[in-house]
Amino acid sequence: MRFLLLFSRQGKLRLQKWFTALSDHDKKKIIRDVTQMVLARPPKACNFLQWRDLKIVYRRYASLYFCCGLEEEDNELLTLELLHRYVELLDQYFGNVCELDIIFNFEKAYFILDEFVIGGEVQETSKASVAKSMEESDSLQETMEEYVNKPTY
Amino acid sequence: MALKIVKGSIDRMFDKNLQDLVRGIRNHKEDEAKYISTCIDEIKQELKQDNIAVKANAVCKLTYLQMLGYDVSWAAFNIVEVMSSSKFTYKRIGYLAASQCFHEGTDVIMLTTNQIRKDLSSPNQYDTGVALTGLSCFVTPDLARDLANDIMTLMSHTKPYIRKKAVLIMYKVFLKYPESLRPAFPRLKEKLEDPDPGVQSAAVNVICELARRNPKNYLSLAPLFFKLMTSSTNNWVLIKIIKLFGALTPLEPRLGKKLIEPLTNLIHSTSAMSLLYECVNTVIAVLISLSSGMPNHSASIQLCVQKLRILIEDSDQNLKYLGLLAMSKILKTHPKSVQSHKDLILQCLDDKDESIRLRALDLLYGMVSKKNLMEIVKKLMLHVDKAEGTTYRDELLTKIIDICSQSNYQYITNFEWYISILVELTRLEGTRHGHLIASQMLDVAIRVKAIRGFAVAQMATLLDNAHLLTGNTQRNGICEVLYAAAWICGEFSEHLEDPMQTLEAMLRPKVATLPGHIQAVYVQNAAKLFATVLQKHEGETDSQAAQETSQLLIERLPLFVQSANLEVQERASCILQLVKYIQKLQQKNVEVAEEVTALFAGELNPVAPKAQKKVPIPEGLDLDAWINEPPSESESEDEKPKAVFAKEEPKHSRSRHTEVDEKELARRREVRKQEQANNPFYIKASPSSQKVYDAPGVEHIPVVQIDLSVPLKVPGMPMSDQYVKLEEERRQKEKAEKKKKEKKKKREKRGKGRKADSGPESEEDITPAHHVDIVTEEMPENALPSDDDDKDPNDPHKALDIDLDNLLSGTSSRPLADSEKLPVRTHRPEVLKSPAEDRDNESIPQESKKKSSKEKKEKKKDKEKDRKRSKEEKKKKKKHKEVEEEPMESQPEEAIQSEDSKEMAAPPTSAEEVTAPSSAAAVDTSPVAAAESEPDEPKDTEPEDTKSSKHKKKKQKKEKEEKEKKKKKRHHHHHHHHSDGGGEDSVQNGTVEDEEPLPPMSNYSLLAENSYIKMVYDIQGNHQDESKVVVSVIFENKSDSFLKSMEFNVLDSLNSKLQRPEGAGPHDGLTVPFQLPPGVSNEARFVFSVQSIVMPQKLKGTLTFIVKSEESSTHEKLDFKLHFTCTSYLITTPCYSDAYAKLLESGDLKGSSLRLEGVNMPFHHLLARICFHHHFSVVERIDSCASMYSRSIQGHHVCLLVKTSDQTVSIDAKCDEPSLLGNVLDEIKQTFSKC
């Protein structure tokens, strides 16, 4: 998998994850092309597209499009399952996730993704383990209020 | 002071956090850009503050803005700052920002190496996890090289959470630093059998990805994977394994046979569509690989096709799409089984989903036959008319052309039909593919001689009706066909019925609105037509017609002479003058036709695109040989191309070798070939270069001209349709004739019963309407007919084509060479490259490291400094250099290897080191020191000495140097050494002042040693957990044997305990997670829990291991004593001077002091030593007085005030725990008493 994009129906980007490092210019170009292409799809069309040498797999959940760029040999159906699993994870973490959750807690969405997928490969298929590691690392994290009240050094 | 803190906190309360920013952006929909620019200004202010929390908040906001598309690259350094925060909260944000913003061009990445290393080795698994995740996004070749060993160690971490991450990251490391693959592979393979399913799945993932690119190196793993496949129930893993087999089977057909059964079982049984799809795909791959050897697998093919049909018929569009996709793979080898589903596929052409239609189109490409081509294309033409979007219509257009032109027009039986199709296609408005149609027209007209007459007639019509095509030239790409039309009419004008009319059409004023290149062709071909007209009328008594033609040209051409396009202008004026001259001759009744035609005599034949490549190299021409000597190296050091692979063959082009005779060259070439053959890193040339040349037999099919029946134009019906009808009629006729013949035969034979009709007509029955001579493209003589499509040389996976088999099958054939070892981690890299080494490296063009310009600059500075300091040495070094260049040619391998390992042994420095000063290693280690640290090592095999006596002396010298280098290399591998000598040669990196350089330091001290193994260790506190310390032990195998099954055990005390995995007893040893080949060292870390840290401690322990040599294996053990000093509980913690002052004022601290007499070293050395060995940081330094601070893992503050005067150092110290302080001071005293 090369990248994962989340964008709204209006084409606003909500999350972008690149599993290979690219320059900003290239990223922007890909984002623009892919969002345009996906948004132009009629509602009942299939979820796969061929774009340059990549396979684009997308799926719409409520007002959000989840969209992946795959290499030639990757399995599209598995990727759809992966997207679904990610949505489930978000759902589990935020409790009935909506677009606003992802907008306001976008770093959490990234952290969940990082626990689930690394370098474009699935690292953990169990929802429970992802949830556990998220919980544990969150417990390490102090809240904003705490740091406001801390002395400077 | 306190007020300041309060004020700071209040300020921060008014800072925007991320939520505020998001809300703000949403509330400023109208002037979003303006709002964000004020936010960015605020963020810039926040980044200037010292408070890390504020910075982290700012970086978090920047990450959000970056996603919105704003450039945040200016904050890269701040991101690094936040990454290096000790608090997980901020570290997490920092790494997230880095993974979002950094890429290979980000120059601050090189500052992160040590920070990442530190985080990787953090005892907190989430620190490590966050670092690994970040690394997966922005790993660069440099980072990969420096951290490969650390990550490899993590692959054997006690926690599966880290193990699985490390395994997955390793793949990214391999891509960036292919050299790490061989050393890391055994461990990766181990992980396939990891007890944790997540780790196992990660390892499967990585090996699958590796094998997909270079399958042949992984064939030996097939049995293991086969076992996994039959035992695993996890679909995610199964899919990967099956995919892996798909990559392996083309190389090993036997494997394919074995796979068919389990795969078909899975296909029958599974309910998961993704798994089913993967199985079908792999079965297809297997069948493709078997198709040549084993014909009888029709059952499996049928199964696949059936399953795919079910998919295609499914209402789920996704399955439909994938079914078609997989179908197209079967099509390549088993077209017949797919062709029977033509109906289904044609149905898909009517699907509302464009992607499905496109996939169906792909399939059509392979399904056409002579029989059904016309029918299919007819259907497509209908779609072209219906198609709503131009993109899809264009796609259809290209597909039609692809389908018809495939394999040299194999399926076209009637070219008149094809030309009509092309002409019909020109009616498409707004297509981008005018040029495609044009090139098809040209190609057909040139290569199919029989069709020229018809083609010319059609083109003439096109030219005549050009106004229909050029309605709007701006947006219309279709006018490109006029280019083809004009050229065809001109070139084959002898077939024109009325050249005069065509000529007139080509010279209409409207033509001037066409694009320049088309006009140019018009003009040129008008001249050709002119020549034809002249010839036609030659010999007629009445020369009026010819003269009229000249007149026409003379009238119309001036329009083109005025053209803005240079090409048109030039051609037009040239031809205009020519025609005027001809006109003069005509008036004198001179016959000119022959001369004018001669202008355009000769036939143009198509040339194959690969023709140039196929020109055989004449004997005696060496394309790689230099024509001129390359410039000498010293002049252009910086411009030297840096090769990616260190082991690339060196260029043997030094001036003194020009006299070397041919024989010598041939011998060397042979040696080099041998080397390359044995060298897995060498990427072999594609086999095509070794092919034997043979002359191509271009067989000309005899041309049989058949009377062409000119088709009647039926009104209201597109032209090409007539051909379909005609063709059907023709075929029926032929069939009928055949039948008649058969009947005749039967009658003659007087057969007993009536035989069934001769079935449906087969391919062979269809004869083309006219025999065509499809002219093959011209190739140079002796060219070889081959289709070698070279792989993309830039593919990163190519570098991973590394032979791993001999690694797997044991140590026998090619164990890891010394140079292949991964750079070994050091906590504080105490070894810097010395300038002399630097220079050596630079003088070697094969140097692999890509150095960023920044580094280079630094180096230059260093060099200059160095130059000033040791001018005399320069001469010496020059000599060095000269000598060293010599061995490069004779022993490229070895020399570079040692160079390589030197580089590996010396990790790069980074900004981190400024606080923990380190210094350079000496260039010349004294022989005594070297001998001490270097046990007898197996000597590398030297290549045979076949050099001429002239070189012998030099060689000896070189050997001596090699030895020295090796010593050096050895030396670098030892992490503790008290180096001496060569101090004046070293370069100082740690301190800013231009003072005397620091001697090298290391915190690793000897743990125990015997003839097999040597252990050195260092103890580090852990800021996350106040009761844990990490002991890093480097094990070095000193023997010639393999060391394995190492077990590390410690007798716990009440206070300190070795952390053992859950379930292990309190006296169980810990298995060291690696084995040691001879001469290799590796590091393992052990976590100890400590209760009280105020007293130093000693723990007894034992290492047991098995020494395995070729003939025997013995159990050995080695006892050791771990010494936990109080210092090891201290953590370097920076402290601001105001906070420091506050701490001292608080009065909670108890004091103590220490005096050291006879300390004979510069003050900054002294401070550096305290910092380095005792984990302090300098708070403030004024002249010969400095305040220092450190903190214990349990939060004790330790403050020092160090003063010096005349070799006497007094240290006043304060701490909230007096006994800890006392012990620390004792240890400081000891440090200085040693020197």
Side-chain angles (χ1 to χ4, degrees), chain A residues 46-47 71 73 124 141, chain B residues 92 164 213 243 318 353:
Chain A
C46 72
N47 299 112
E71 281 156 52
E73 295 90 347
E124 184 54 72
Q141 186 161 353
Chain B
R92 203 182 191 189
K164 85 189 163 204
R213 269 67 185 222
K243 201 187 281 294
N318 291 337
D353 188 347

Side-chain angles (χ1 to χ4, degrees), chain B residues 53 112 165 241 293 367 515 558 563 595 643 742 769 806 830 876 922 955 992 1044 1148:
Chain B
T112 59
K165 276 184 197 261
I241 296 176
M367 296 183 76
S563 167
E595 276 111 335
E742 267 171 39
N806 39 29
E830 76 276 34
K876 218 161 114 199
K955 195 168 175 194
V992 194
K1044 51 187 268 186
D1148 299 338

